[in-house]
Coordinates of all heavy atoms in Angstrom, one line a residue:
M1 N 4.5 -33.2 -12.6 CA 5.0 -33.2 -14.0 C 5.7 -34.5 -14.5 O 5.5 -34.7 -15.6 CB 6.2 -32.1 -14.1 CG 5.6 -30.7 -14.2 SD 6.8 -29.4 -14.6 CE 7.9 -29.5 -13.3
K2 N 6.2 -35.2 -13.5 CA 6.7 -36.6 -13.9 C 5.6 -37.4 -14.4 O 5.8 -38.2 -15.3 CB 7.4 -37.2 -12.6 CG 8.0 -38.5 -12.9 CD 9.0 -38.6 -14.0 CE 9.5 -40.0 -14.2 NZ 10.2 -40.1 -15.4
K3 N 4.4 -37.3 -13.7 CA 3.3 -38.2 -14.1 C 2.9 -37.8 -15.5 O 2.7 -38.7 -16.4 CB 2.1 -37.9 -13.2 CG 0.8 -38.6 -13.6 CD -0.3 -38.3 -12.5 CE -1.5 -39.0 -13.0 NZ -2.7 -38.6 -12.1
Q4 N 2.8 -36.5 -15.9 CA 2.4 -36.1 -17.3 C 3.5 -36.4 -18.3 O 3.2 -36.7 -19.4 CB 2.1 -34.6 -17.2 CG 0.9 -34.2 -16.6 CD 1.0 -33.9 -15.1 OE1 2.1 -34.0 -14.6 NE2 -0.1 -33.6 -14.5
A5 N 4.8 -36.5 -17.8 CA 5.9 -36.8 -18.8 C 5.8 -38.2 -19.2 O 6.3 -38.6 -20.3 CB 7.2 -36.4 -18.2
G6 N 5.4 -39.1 -18.3 CA 5.3 -40.5 -18.7 C 6.6 -41.3 -18.5 O 7.5 -40.7 -17.9
L7 N 6.5 -42.5 -18.9 CA 7.7 -43.4 -18.7 C 9.0 -42.9 -19.3 O 10.0 -43.2 -18.8 CB 7.3 -44.8 -19.2 CG 6.2 -45.5 -18.5 CD1 5.9 -46.9 -19.2 CD2 6.6 -45.7 -17.1
F8 N 8.9 -42.3 -20.5 CA 10.1 -41.9 -21.2 C 10.5 -40.4 -21.0 O 11.3 -39.8 -21.6 CB 9.9 -42.1 -22.7 CG 9.6 -43.6 -23.0 CD1 8.4 -44.0 -23.2 CD2 10.7 -44.5 -23.0 CE1 8.2 -45.4 -23.5 CE2 10.4 -45.9 -23.2 CZ 9.2 -46.2 -23.4
G9 N 9.8 -39.8 -20.0 CA 10.1 -38.4 -19.7 C 11.0 -38.2 -18.6 O 10.9 -38.8 -17.6
H10 N 11.9 -37.3 -18.7 CA 12.9 -37.0 -17.6 C 12.7 -35.5 -17.1 O 12.7 -34.6 -18.0 CB 14.3 -37.2 -18.0 CG 14.6 -38.6 -18.6 ND1 14.8 -39.6 -17.8 CD2 14.6 -39.0 -19.8 CE1 15.0 -40.7 -18.5 NE2 14.8 -40.3 -19.8
V11 N 12.3 -35.3 -15.9 CA 12.0 -34.0 -15.4 C 13.1 -33.5 -14.5 O 13.5 -34.3 -13.6 CB 10.6 -34.0 -14.6 CG1 10.3 -32.7 -14.1 CG2 9.5 -34.5 -15.5
A12 N 13.5 -32.3 -14.6 CA 14.6 -31.7 -13.8 C 14.4 -30.3 -13.6 O 13.9 -29.6 -14.5 CB 16.0 -32.0 -14.4
R13 N 14.7 -29.8 -12.4 CA 14.7 -28.4 -12.1 C 15.8 -27.7 -13.0 O 17.0 -28.3 -13.0 CB 14.9 -28.0 -10.6 CG 14.8 -26.5 -10.4 CD 14.9 -26.2 -8.9 NE 13.7 -26.4 -8.1 CZ 12.6 -25.6 -8.1 NH1 12.5 -24.7 -9.0 NH2 11.7 -25.8 -7.2
Y14 N 15.6 -26.6 -13.6 CA 16.6 -25.9 -14.4 C 16.4 -24.4 -14.2 O 15.6 -23.8 -14.7 CB 16.2 -26.2 -16.0 CG 17.3 -25.7 -16.8 CD1 18.5 -26.5 -17.0 CD2 17.2 -24.5 -17.5 CE1 19.5 -26.0 -17.9 CE2 18.2 -24.0 -18.3 CZ 19.4 -24.8 -18.5 OH 20.4 -24.4 -19.3
G15 N 17.1 -24.0 -13.1 CA 17.0 -22.5 -12.8 C 16.1 -22.4 -11.5 O 15.6 -23.4 -11.1
G16 N 15.8 -21.2 -11.2 CA 15.0 -20.9 -10.0 C 13.6 -21.4 -10.1 O 13.1 -22.2 -9.3
E17 N 12.8 -21.0 -11.2 CA 11.4 -21.3 -11.4 C 11.2 -22.1 -12.6 O 10.1 -22.2 -13.1 CB 10.6 -20.0 -11.3 CG 10.6 -19.3 -10.1 CD 9.7 -18.0 -10.1 OE1 9.3 -17.6 -11.3 OE2 9.4 -17.5 -9.0
E18 N 12.2 -22.6 -13.2 CA 12.1 -23.2 -14.5 C 12.4 -24.8 -14.4 O 13.2 -25.3 -13.5 CB 13.0 -22.7 -15.5 CG 12.7 -21.3 -15.8 CD 13.6 -20.6 -16.8 OE1 14.7 -21.2 -17.2 OE2 13.4 -19.5 -17.2
F19 N 11.8 -25.6 -15.2 CA 12.0 -27.0 -15.2 C 12.2 -27.4 -16.7 O 11.8 -26.8 -17.5 CB 10.7 -27.8 -14.7 CG 10.5 -27.5 -13.2 CD1 9.8 -26.5 -12.8 CD2 11.1 -28.5 -12.3 CE1 9.5 -26.2 -11.4 CE2 10.8 -28.3 -10.9 CZ 10.1 -27.2 -10.5
A20 N 12.9 -28.6 -16.8 CA 13.1 -29.1 -18.1 C 12.5 -30.5 -18.2 O 12.6 -31.3 -17.2 CB 14.6 -29.3 -18.5
V21 N 11.8 -30.7 -19.2 CA 11.2 -32.1 -19.4 C 11.8 -32.6 -20.8 O 11.6 -32.0 -21.8 CB 9.7 -32.0 -19.5 CG1 9.1 -33.4 -19.8 CG2 9.1 -31.5 -18.2
V22 N 12.6 -33.6 -20.7 CA 13.2 -34.2 -21.9 C 12.5 -35.5 -22.2 O 12.4 -36.4 -21.3 CB 14.7 -34.4 -21.6 CG1 15.3 -35.2 -22.8 CG2 15.5 -33.2 -21.2
L23 N 12.0 -35.5 -23.4 CA 11.3 -36.8 -23.9 C 12.2 -37.5 -24.8 O 12.6 -36.9 -25.8 CB 10.0 -36.5 -24.4 CG 9.0 -35.6 -23.7 CD1 7.8 -35.2 -24.5 CD2 8.5 -36.4 -22.4
S24 N 12.3 -38.8 -24.6 CA 13.2 -39.6 -25.5 C 12.2 -40.3 -26.5 O 11.3 -41.0 -26.1 CB 14.0 -40.6 -24.8 OG 13.3 -41.4 -23.9
D25 N 12.6 -40.1 -27.8 CA 11.8 -40.8 -28.9 C 10.2 -40.5 -28.8 O 9.5 -41.5 -29.1 CB 12.1 -42.3 -28.8 CG 11.7 -42.9 -30.1 OD1 11.8 -42.4 -31.2 OD2 11.3 -44.2 -30.1
Q26 N 9.9 -39.4 -28.4 CA 8.5 -39.1 -28.4 C 8.2 -37.7 -28.9 O 7.2 -36.9 -28.4 CB 7.9 -39.2 -26.9 CG 7.9 -40.6 -26.4 CD 7.0 -40.6 -25.1 OE1 6.4 -39.7 -24.7 NE2 7.0 -41.7 -24.5
S27 N 8.9 -37.2 -29.9 CA 8.7 -35.8 -30.3 C 7.3 -35.6 -30.7 O 6.8 -34.5 -30.7 CB 9.7 -35.5 -31.4 OG 9.5 -36.4 -32.5
A28 N 6.6 -36.6 -31.4 CA 5.3 -36.4 -31.8 C 4.3 -36.2 -30.6 O 3.3 -35.6 -30.7 CB 4.8 -37.6 -32.6
Q29 N 4.7 -36.7 -29.4 CA 3.9 -36.5 -28.2 C 4.2 -35.3 -27.3 O 3.5 -35.0 -26.4 CB 4.0 -37.7 -27.4 CG 3.6 -39.0 -28.0 CD 2.1 -39.1 -28.2 OE1 1.3 -38.7 -27.4 NE2 1.7 -39.6 -29.5
G30 N 5.2 -34.5 -27.7 CA 5.7 -33.4 -27.0 C 4.6 -32.4 -26.7 O 4.4 -31.9 -25.5
E31 N 3.8 -32.0 -27.6 CA 2.8 -31.0 -27.4 C 1.7 -31.6 -26.5 O 1.1 -30.9 -25.7 CB 2.2 -30.5 -28.7 CG 3.2 -29.7 -29.4 CD 2.6 -29.0 -30.6 OE1 1.5 -28.4 -30.5 OE2 3.2 -29.0 -31.7
L32 N 1.4 -32.8 -26.6 CA 0.4 -33.5 -25.8 C 0.9 -33.5 -24.3 O 0.2 -33.1 -23.4 CB 0.1 -34.8 -26.2 CG -0.9 -35.7 -25.4 CD1 -2.3 -35.0 -25.4 CD2 -1.0 -37.1 -25.9
V33 N 2.1 -33.9 -24.1 CA 2.8 -33.8 -22.8 C 2.7 -32.4 -22.2 O 2.3 -32.2 -21.1 CB 4.1 -34.4 -22.8 CG1 4.8 -34.2 -21.5 CG2 4.1 -35.9 -23.1
A34 N 3.1 -31.4 -23.0 CA 3.1 -30.0 -22.6 C 1.8 -29.6 -22.2 O 1.6 -28.9 -21.1 CB 3.8 -29.2 -23.6
E35 N 0.8 -29.9 -22.9 CA -0.6 -29.5 -22.6 C -1.0 -30.2 -21.3 O -1.7 -29.6 -20.6 CB -1.5 -29.8 -23.8 CG -2.9 -29.3 -23.7 CD -2.9 -27.7 -23.4 OE1 -2.0 -27.0 -23.7 OE2 -4.0 -27.3 -22.9
R36 N -0.7 -31.5 -21.2 CA -1.1 -32.1 -19.9 C -0.5 -31.5 -18.7 O -1.0 -31.3 -17.6 CB -0.7 -33.6 -19.9 CG -1.6 -34.4 -20.8 CD -1.5 -35.9 -20.6 NE -0.1 -36.4 -20.5 CZ 0.4 -37.3 -21.4 NH1 -0.3 -37.7 -22.3 NH2 1.7 -37.7 -21.2
I37 N 0.8 -31.0 -18.9 CA 1.5 -30.3 -17.7 C 0.8 -29.0 -17.4 O 0.4 -28.7 -16.3 CB 3.0 -30.1 -18.1 CG1 3.7 -31.4 -18.0 CG2 3.6 -29.1 -17.1 CD1 5.1 -31.3 -18.6
R38 N 0.5 -28.2 -18.5 CA -0.2 -27.0 -18.4 C -1.5 -27.0 -17.7 O -1.8 -26.4 -16.7 CB -0.4 -26.3 -19.8 CG -0.9 -24.9 -19.7 CD -1.2 -24.2 -21.0 NE -2.5 -24.9 -21.5 CZ -3.6 -24.6 -21.1 NH1 -3.8 -23.7 -20.1 NH2 -4.7 -25.1 -21.6
T39 N -2.3 -28.0 -18.1 CA -3.7 -28.1 -17.6 C -3.6 -28.8 -16.2 O -4.4 -28.4 -15.3 CB -4.6 -29.0 -18.5 OG1 -4.1 -30.3 -18.7 CG2 -4.9 -28.2 -19.7
G40 N -2.6 -29.5 -15.9 CA -2.4 -30.2 -14.6 C -2.1 -29.1 -13.6 O -2.6 -29.3 -12.4
I41 N -1.3 -28.2 -13.9 CA -1.0 -27.1 -13.0 C -2.3 -26.2 -12.7 O -2.6 -25.9 -11.6 CB 0.1 -26.1 -13.6 CG1 1.4 -26.9 -13.7 CG2 0.3 -24.9 -12.7 CD1 2.1 -27.4 -12.4
L42 N -3.0 -26.0 -13.8 CA -4.3 -25.2 -13.5 C -5.3 -26.0 -12.6 O -6.0 -25.4 -11.9 CB -5.0 -24.9 -14.9 CG -4.4 -23.8 -15.7 CD1 -5.1 -23.7 -17.0 CD2 -4.4 -22.5 -15.0
D43 N -5.3 -27.3 -12.9 CA -6.2 -28.1 -12.1 C -6.0 -28.1 -10.6 O -6.8 -28.4 -9.8 CB -6.3 -29.6 -12.6 CG -7.0 -29.7 -13.9 OD1 -7.6 -28.8 -14.4 OD2 -6.7 -30.8 -14.6
L44 N -4.7 -27.8 -10.2 CA -4.4 -27.7 -8.8 C -5.0 -26.4 -8.1 O -5.3 -26.4 -6.9 CB -2.9 -27.5 -8.6 CG -2.0 -28.7 -9.1 CD1 -0.6 -28.4 -9.0 CD2 -2.3 -29.9 -8.2
K45 N -5.5 -25.4 -9.0 CA -6.2 -24.3 -8.4 C -5.5 -23.7 -7.3 O -6.1 -23.3 -6.3 CB -7.6 -24.6 -8.1 CG -8.4 -25.2 -9.2 CD -9.9 -25.3 -9.0 CE -10.7 -25.9 -10.1 NZ -10.5 -25.4 -11.4
L46 N -4.2 -23.4 -7.5 CA -3.3 -22.8 -6.4 C -3.6 -21.3 -6.5 O -3.4 -20.7 -7.6 CB -1.9 -23.1 -6.7 CG -1.5 -24.6 -6.5 CD1 -0.1 -24.7 -7.0 CD2 -1.7 -25.1 -5.1
P47 N -4.0 -20.6 -5.6 CA -4.3 -19.2 -5.6 C -3.1 -18.3 -5.9 O -2.0 -18.6 -5.4 CB -4.9 -18.8 -4.3 CG -4.5 -19.9 -3.3 CD -4.2 -21.1 -4.2
H48 N -3.2 -17.2 -6.7 CA -2.3 -16.2 -7.0 C -2.9 -14.9 -7.2 O -3.4 -14.6 -8.3 CB -1.5 -16.7 -8.3 CG -0.2 -15.8 -8.5 ND1 -0.2 -14.5 -8.4 CD2 1.0 -16.2 -8.9 CE1 1.1 -14.0 -8.7 NE2 1.7 -15.0 -9.0
E49 N -3.1 -14.2 -6.1 CA -3.9 -13.0 -6.1 C -3.5 -11.9 -7.0 O -4.2 -11.1 -7.6 CB -3.9 -12.4 -4.7 CG -4.6 -13.3 -3.6 CD -4.5 -12.8 -2.3 OE1 -4.0 -11.6 -2.0 OE2 -4.9 -13.5 -1.3
R50 N -2.1 -11.9 -7.4 CA -1.7 -10.8 -8.3 C -1.7 -11.1 -9.8 O -1.3 -10.3 -10.6 CB -0.3 -10.4 -7.9 CG -0.2 -9.7 -6.5 CD 1.1 -9.2 -6.1 NE 2.0 -10.4 -6.1 CZ 3.3 -10.4 -6.0 NH1 3.9 -9.2 -5.9 NH2 4.1 -11.4 -5.9
Y51 N -2.1 -12.3 -10.1 CA -2.1 -12.8 -11.5 C -3.5 -12.8 -12.1 O -4.2 -13.7 -12.1 CB -1.5 -14.2 -11.6 CG -1.5 -14.7 -13.0 CD1 -1.1 -13.9 -14.1 CD2 -1.9 -16.0 -13.3 CE1 -1.1 -14.4 -15.4 CE2 -2.0 -16.5 -14.6 CZ -1.6 -15.7 -15.7 OH -1.6 -16.2 -16.9
A52 N -3.9 -11.6 -12.6 CA -5.2 -11.4 -13.2 C -5.1 -11.9 -14.7 O -4.0 -11.7 -15.2 CB -5.7 -10.0 -13.2
P53 N -6.1 -12.5 -15.3 CA -7.5 -12.6 -14.8 C -7.7 -13.9 -14.1 O -8.8 -14.2 -13.6 CB -8.2 -12.6 -16.2 CG -7.3 -13.2 -17.1 CD -5.9 -12.8 -16.7
L54 N -6.7 -15.0 -14.1 CA -7.0 -16.2 -13.5 C -7.0 -16.2 -12.0 O -7.7 -17.0 -11.4 CB -6.0 -17.2 -14.0 CG -6.0 -17.5 -15.5 CD1 -4.8 -18.5 -15.8 CD2 -7.2 -18.1 -15.9
Y55 N -6.1 -15.4 -11.4 CA -5.9 -15.4 -9.9 C -5.6 -16.7 -9.4 O -6.0 -17.2 -8.2 CB -7.2 -14.8 -9.2 CG -7.4 -13.4 -9.6 CD1 -8.5 -13.1 -10.5 CD2 -6.6 -12.4 -9.1 CE1 -8.7 -11.7 -10.9 CE2 -6.8 -11.0 -9.5 CZ -7.8 -10.7 -10.4 OH -8.1 -9.5 -10.8
Q56 N -4.8 -17.5 -10.3 CA -4.3 -18.7 -9.8 C -3.1 -19.0 -10.5 O -2.8 -18.4 -11.5 CB -5.3 -19.9 -10.0 CG -5.5 -20.3 -11.4 CD -6.5 -21.4 -11.6 OE1 -7.7 -21.3 -11.3 NE2 -6.1 -22.6 -12.0
V57 N -2.2 -19.9 -10.0 CA -0.9 -20.2 -10.6 C -1.2 -20.9 -11.9 O -2.0 -21.8 -12.1 CB -0.1 -21.2 -9.7 CG1 1.1 -21.7 -10.4 CG2 0.3 -20.5 -8.5
S58 N -0.4 -20.4 -12.9 CA -0.4 -21.1 -14.3 C 1.0 -21.3 -14.7 O 1.9 -21.0 -14.0 CB -1.2 -20.3 -15.3 OG -0.5 -19.1 -15.5
V59 N 1.2 -21.9 -15.9 CA 2.5 -22.2 -16.4 C 2.6 -21.8 -17.9 O 1.7 -21.9 -18.6 CB 2.9 -23.6 -16.2 CG1 2.0 -24.6 -17.0 CG2 4.3 -23.9 -16.5
S60 N 3.8 -21.2 -18.2 CA 4.1 -20.9 -19.6 C 5.1 -22.0 -20.0 O 6.0 -22.3 -19.2 CB 4.7 -19.5 -19.6 OG 3.8 -18.5 -19.4
L61 N 4.9 -22.4 -21.3 CA 5.9 -23.6 -21.7 C 6.5 -23.2 -22.9 O 5.8 -22.7 -23.9 CB 4.9 -24.8 -21.8 CG 4.3 -25.3 -20.6 CD1 3.1 -26.2 -20.9 CD2 5.2 -26.1 -19.8
G62 N 7.8 -23.4 -23.0 CA 8.6 -23.3 -24.3 C 9.0 -24.7 -24.7 O 9.6 -25.4 -23.8
M63 N 8.8 -25.0 -25.9 CA 9.1 -26.3 -26.4 C 10.0 -26.3 -27.6 O 9.8 -25.5 -28.5 CB 7.8 -27.1 -26.8 CG 8.0 -28.5 -27.2 SD 6.3 -29.1 -27.6 CE 6.8 -30.4 -28.7
A64 N 11.0 -27.2 -27.6 CA 11.8 -27.3 -28.8 C 12.2 -28.8 -29.1 O 12.1 -29.5 -28.1 CB 13.1 -26.5 -28.6
T65 N 12.3 -29.1 -30.3 CA 12.6 -30.5 -30.6 C 13.8 -30.6 -31.6 O 14.0 -29.7 -32.4 CB 11.4 -31.2 -31.3 OG1 11.1 -30.5 -32.5 CG2 10.2 -31.2 -30.4
V66 N 14.4 -31.7 -31.4 CA 15.5 -32.0 -32.5 C 15.4 -33.5 -32.8 O 15.0 -34.3 -32.0 CB 16.9 -31.7 -31.9 CG1 17.1 -30.3 -31.7 CG2 17.3 -32.5 -30.7
Q67 N 15.9 -33.9 -34.0 CA 16.1 -35.2 -34.3 C 17.5 -35.7 -34.0 O 18.4 -34.9 -34.1 CB 15.8 -35.4 -35.8 CG 14.4 -35.0 -36.2 CD 13.4 -35.9 -35.4 OE1 13.5 -37.1 -35.3 NE2 12.3 -35.3 -35.0
P68 N 17.7 -36.9 -33.6 CA 19.0 -37.4 -33.2 C 20.1 -37.2 -34.2 O 21.2 -37.0 -33.8 CB 18.8 -38.9 -32.9 CG 17.4 -39.0 -32.6 CD 16.7 -37.9 -33.5
D69 N 19.8 -37.1 -35.5 CA 20.8 -36.9 -36.5 C 21.1 -35.5 -36.8 O 22.0 -35.2 -37.6 CB 20.5 -37.7 -37.7 CG 19.2 -37.2 -38.4 OD1 18.5 -36.4 -37.7 OD2 18.9 -37.6 -39.5
D70 N 20.5 -34.6 -36.1 CA 20.8 -33.1 -36.3 C 22.2 -32.8 -35.8 O 22.7 -33.4 -34.8 CB 19.7 -32.2 -35.5 CG 18.4 -32.2 -36.2 OD1 18.3 -32.5 -37.4 OD2 17.4 -31.8 -35.6
A71 N 22.8 -31.8 -36.4 CA 24.2 -31.4 -36.0 C 24.1 -30.3 -35.0 O 24.8 -29.3 -35.0 CB 24.9 -31.0 -37.2
L72 N 23.1 -30.4 -34.1 CA 22.9 -29.4 -33.1 C 23.3 -29.9 -31.6 O 23.1 -31.1 -31.3 CB 21.4 -29.0 -32.9 CG 20.8 -28.4 -34.2 CD1 19.3 -28.2 -34.1 CD2 21.4 -27.0 -34.5
T73 N 23.9 -29.1 -30.9 CA 24.3 -29.5 -29.6 C 23.1 -29.2 -28.6 O 22.2 -28.7 -28.9 CB 25.5 -28.7 -29.0 OG1 25.1 -27.3 -28.8 CG2 26.7 -28.7 -30.0
E74 N 23.3 -29.7 -27.3 CA 22.3 -29.5 -26.3 C 22.1 -28.0 -26.0 O 21.0 -27.6 -25.6 CB 22.5 -30.3 -25.0 CG 23.8 -30.0 -24.4 CD 25.1 -30.7 -24.9 OE1 25.1 -31.4 -25.9 OE2 26.2 -30.5 -24.3
I75 N 23.2 -27.3 -26.1 CA 23.0 -25.8 -26.0 C 22.1 -25.3 -26.9 O 21.3 -24.4 -26.6 CB 24.4 -25.1 -26.1 CG1 25.4 -25.7 -25.1 CG2 24.3 -23.6 -25.9 CD1 24.9 -25.5 -23.6
H76 N 22.1 -25.6 -28.3 CA 21.2 -25.1 -29.2 C 19.8 -25.5 -28.9 O 18.9 -24.7 -28.9 CB 21.5 -25.7 -30.6 CG 22.7 -25.3 -31.2 ND1 23.9 -26.2 -31.3 CD2 23.2 -24.1 -31.7 CE1 24.9 -25.4 -31.8 NE2 24.4 -24.2 -32.1
L77 N 19.5 -26.7 -28.3 CA 18.2 -27.1 -27.9 C 17.7 -26.3 -26.8 O 16.6 -25.8 -26.7 CB 18.2 -28.6 -27.6 CG 16.9 -29.2 -27.1 CD1 15.8 -29.1 -28.2 CD2 17.1 -30.6 -26.7
I78 N 18.5 -26.1 -25.8 CA 18.2 -25.2 -24.6 C 17.9 -23.8 -25.0 O 16.9 -23.3 -24.6 CB 19.3 -25.4 -23.5 CG1 19.4 -26.8 -23.0 CG2 19.0 -24.4 -22.4 CD1 20.5 -27.0 -22.1
D79 N 18.7 -23.3 -25.9 CA 18.5 -21.9 -26.4 C 17.2 -21.7 -27.1 O 16.4 -20.8 -26.8 CB 19.6 -21.4 -27.3 CG 20.9 -21.1 -26.6 OD1 20.9 -21.0 -25.4 OD2 22.0 -21.0 -27.2
R80 N 16.8 -22.7 -27.9 CA 15.5 -22.6 -28.6 C 14.4 -22.8 -27.7 O 13.3 -22.2 -27.8 CB 15.5 -23.6 -29.7 CG 16.4 -23.2 -30.9 CD 16.8 -24.4 -31.8 NE 17.4 -23.9 -33.1 CZ 18.7 -23.6 -33.1 NH1 19.5 -23.6 -32.1 NH2 19.3 -23.2 -34.3
A81 N 14.4 -23.7 -26.8 CA 13.4 -23.9 -25.7 C 13.2 -22.6 -24.9 O 12.1 -22.2 -24.6 CB 13.7 -25.1 -24.9
D82 N 14.3 -22.0 -24.5 CA 14.3 -20.8 -23.8 C 13.7 -19.7 -24.6 O 12.8 -18.8 -24.1 CB 15.7 -20.4 -23.3 CG 15.7 -19.5 -22.1 OD1 15.0 -19.7 -21.2 OD2 16.6 -18.6 -22.1
M83 N 14.0 -19.5 -25.9 CA 13.3 -18.5 -26.7 C 11.8 -18.7 -26.8 O 11.0 -17.8 -26.8 CB 13.9 -18.5 -28.1 CG 15.3 -17.9 -28.2 SD 15.9 -17.7 -29.9 CE 16.2 -19.5 -30.4
A84 N 11.4 -20.0 -26.9 CA 10.0 -20.3 -27.0 C 9.3 -20.0 -25.6 O 8.2 -19.5 -25.6 CB 9.8 -21.8 -27.3
L85 N 10.0 -20.2 -24.5 CA 9.4 -19.9 -23.2 C 9.2 -18.4 -23.1 O 8.1 -18.0 -22.7 CB 10.4 -20.4 -22.1 CG 10.0 -20.0 -20.7 CD1 8.7 -20.5 -20.3 CD2 11.1 -20.4 -19.7
Y86 N 10.2 -17.6 -23.4 CA 9.9 -16.2 -23.3 C 8.9 -15.7 -24.3 O 8.2 -14.7 -24.0 CB 11.4 -15.4 -23.4 CG 12.1 -15.6 -22.2 CD1 13.1 -16.5 -22.1 CD2 11.8 -14.8 -21.1 CE1 13.8 -16.7 -20.9 CE2 12.5 -15.0 -19.9 CZ 13.5 -15.9 -19.8 OH 14.2 -16.0 -18.6
A87 N 8.8 -16.3 -25.5 CA 7.7 -15.9 -26.4 C 6.3 -16.3 -25.8 O 5.4 -15.4 -25.9 CB 7.9 -16.7 -27.7
A88 N 6.2 -17.4 -25.0 CA 5.0 -17.7 -24.3 C 4.7 -16.8 -23.3 O 3.5 -16.4 -23.1 CB 5.1 -19.2 -23.8
K89 N 5.6 -16.4 -22.5 CA 5.4 -15.4 -21.4 C 5.0 -14.0 -22.0 O 4.0 -13.4 -21.6 CB 6.7 -15.1 -20.6 CG 7.0 -16.4 -19.8 CD 8.2 -16.1 -18.9 CE 8.6 -17.3 -18.0 NZ 9.8 -17.1 -17.3
A90 N 5.6 -13.6 -23.1 CA 5.3 -12.3 -23.7 C 3.9 -12.3 -24.4 O 3.3 -11.3 -24.5 CB 6.4 -12.0 -24.8
A91 N 3.4 -13.5 -24.8 CA 2.1 -13.6 -25.5 C 1.0 -13.7 -24.5 O -0.1 -13.8 -24.9 CB 2.1 -14.8 -26.4
G92 N 1.3 -13.6 -23.2 CA 0.1 -13.6 -22.3 C 0.2 -14.7 -21.2 O -0.8 -14.8 -20.4
K93 N 1.2 -15.5 -21.2 CA 1.4 -16.6 -20.2 C 0.3 -17.6 -20.3 O -0.5 -17.6 -21.3 CB 1.4 -16.0 -18.8 CG 2.5 -14.9 -18.6 CD 2.5 -14.5 -17.1 CE 3.6 -13.5 -17.0 NZ 3.6 -13.0 -15.6
N94 N 0.4 -18.7 -19.5 CA -0.5 -19.9 -19.5 C -0.7 -20.5 -20.9 O -1.8 -20.7 -21.3 CB -1.9 -19.4 -19.0 CG -2.8 -20.6 -18.7 OD1 -2.4 -21.7 -18.4 ND2 -4.1 -20.4 -18.9
Q95 N 0.4 -20.7 -21.6 CA 0.3 -21.2 -22.9 C 1.6 -21.9 -23.3 O 2.6 -21.7 -22.7 CB -0.1 -20.2 -23.9 CG 0.8 -19.0 -24.1 CD 0.3 -17.9 -25.0 OE1 0.3 -18.1 -26.2 NE2 -0.1 -16.9 -24.4
L96 N 1.6 -22.6 -24.5 CA 2.7 -23.2 -25.1 C 3.1 -22.5 -26.3 O 2.3 -22.3 -27.1 CB 2.4 -24.8 -25.3 CG 3.3 -25.5 -26.2 CD1 4.6 -25.8 -25.5 CD2 2.7 -26.9 -26.6
V97 N 4.4 -22.3 -26.5 CA 5.0 -21.9 -27.8 C 6.1 -22.9 -28.1 O 6.8 -23.3 -27.3 CB 5.6 -20.5 -27.7 CG1 6.4 -20.1 -28.9 CG2 4.5 -19.4 -27.3
R98 N 6.0 -23.3 -29.4 CA 6.9 -24.4 -29.9 C 8.0 -23.7 -30.8 O 7.7 -22.8 -31.7 CB 6.1 -25.4 -30.7 CG 7.0 -26.5 -31.2 CD 6.2 -27.6 -31.9 NE 7.1 -28.6 -32.3 CZ 6.8 -29.9 -32.3 NH1 5.6 -30.3 -31.9 NH2 7.6 -30.7 -32.7
H99 N 9.2 -24.1 -30.7 CA 10.3 -23.7 -31.6 C 10.9 -25.0 -32.1 O 11.5 -25.8 -31.3 CB 11.3 -22.8 -30.8 CG 12.4 -22.2 -31.7 ND1 13.2 -23.0 -32.4 CD2 12.7 -21.0 -31.9 CE1 14.0 -22.2 -33.1 NE2 13.8 -20.9 -32.7
D100 N 10.8 -25.2 -33.4 CA 11.4 -26.4 -33.9 C 12.9 -26.1 -34.3 O 13.2 -25.1 -35.1 CB 10.7 -26.8 -35.3 CG 9.3 -27.4 -34.9 OD1 9.2 -28.2 -34.0 OD2 8.4 -27.0 -35.5
A101 N 13.8 -26.8 -33.8 CA 15.2 -26.6 -34.0 C 15.6 -27.3 -35.4 O 15.3 -28.4 -35.7 CB 16.1 -27.3 -32.9
S102 N 16.2 -26.3 -36.2 CA 16.5 -26.8 -37.5 C 17.7 -26.0 -38.0 O 18.0 -25.0 -37.5 CB 15.3 -26.7 -38.5 OG 14.9 -25.4 -38.6

């Protein structure tokens, strides 16, 4: 994930099976980075016998963005990313859902 996040991306484990990727000054590149992470996981072709129809490990991604001048705290950003993540899982997994913080 660090490779896909690039020079300005910070990757950290956030919870048991969750990770956070924070991009500084690259909000326009966020979806591209997220898609590279998603396809990079698929390209590993890690078997997962109980996950039909792919039968391999995939990733669901929730994405949220804020502008530095927004009056939102980091908690607001995390909450919005979490909502987007659960929406991605509910929509069938192996996809990205974006929530713009405003």
Side-chain angles (χ1 to χ4, degrees):
M1 283 193 295
K2 178 63 180 163
K3 178 182 175 183
Q4 286 88 357
L7 295 175
F8 299 102
H10 305 281
V11 179
R13 183 180 278 293
Y14 190 82
E17 295 180 345
E18 296 177 352
F19 292 85
V21 178
V22 179
L23 303 174
S24 56
D25 197 31
Q26 291 196 9
S27 61
Q29 297 295 315
E31 287 187 48
L32 177 62
V33 169
E35 186 59 19
R36 284 196 313 242
I37 291 170
R38 191 189 68 74
T39 58
I41 297 295
L42 283 178
D43 289 346
L44 294 173
K45 299 193 184 315
L46 301 170
H48 190 314
E49 294 176 7
R50 295 183 297 169
Y51 178 49
L54 296 177
Y55 298 104
Q56 71 180 66
V57 173
S58 68
V59 63
S60 298
L61 300 156
M63 178 179 162
T65 59
V66 295
Q67 296 301 317
D69 59 352
D70 285 342
L72 299 172
T73 68
E74 62 275 4
I75 298 300
H76 292 108
L77 178 61
I78 292 168
D79 286 345
R80 284 162 173 78
D82 205 40
M83 286 188 289
L85 172 61
Y86 284 100
K89 289 178 178 182
K93 302 182 181 179
N94 190 34
Q95 59 186 289
L96 166 67
V97 171
R98 181 180 181 140
H99 186 299
D100 290 313
S102 56

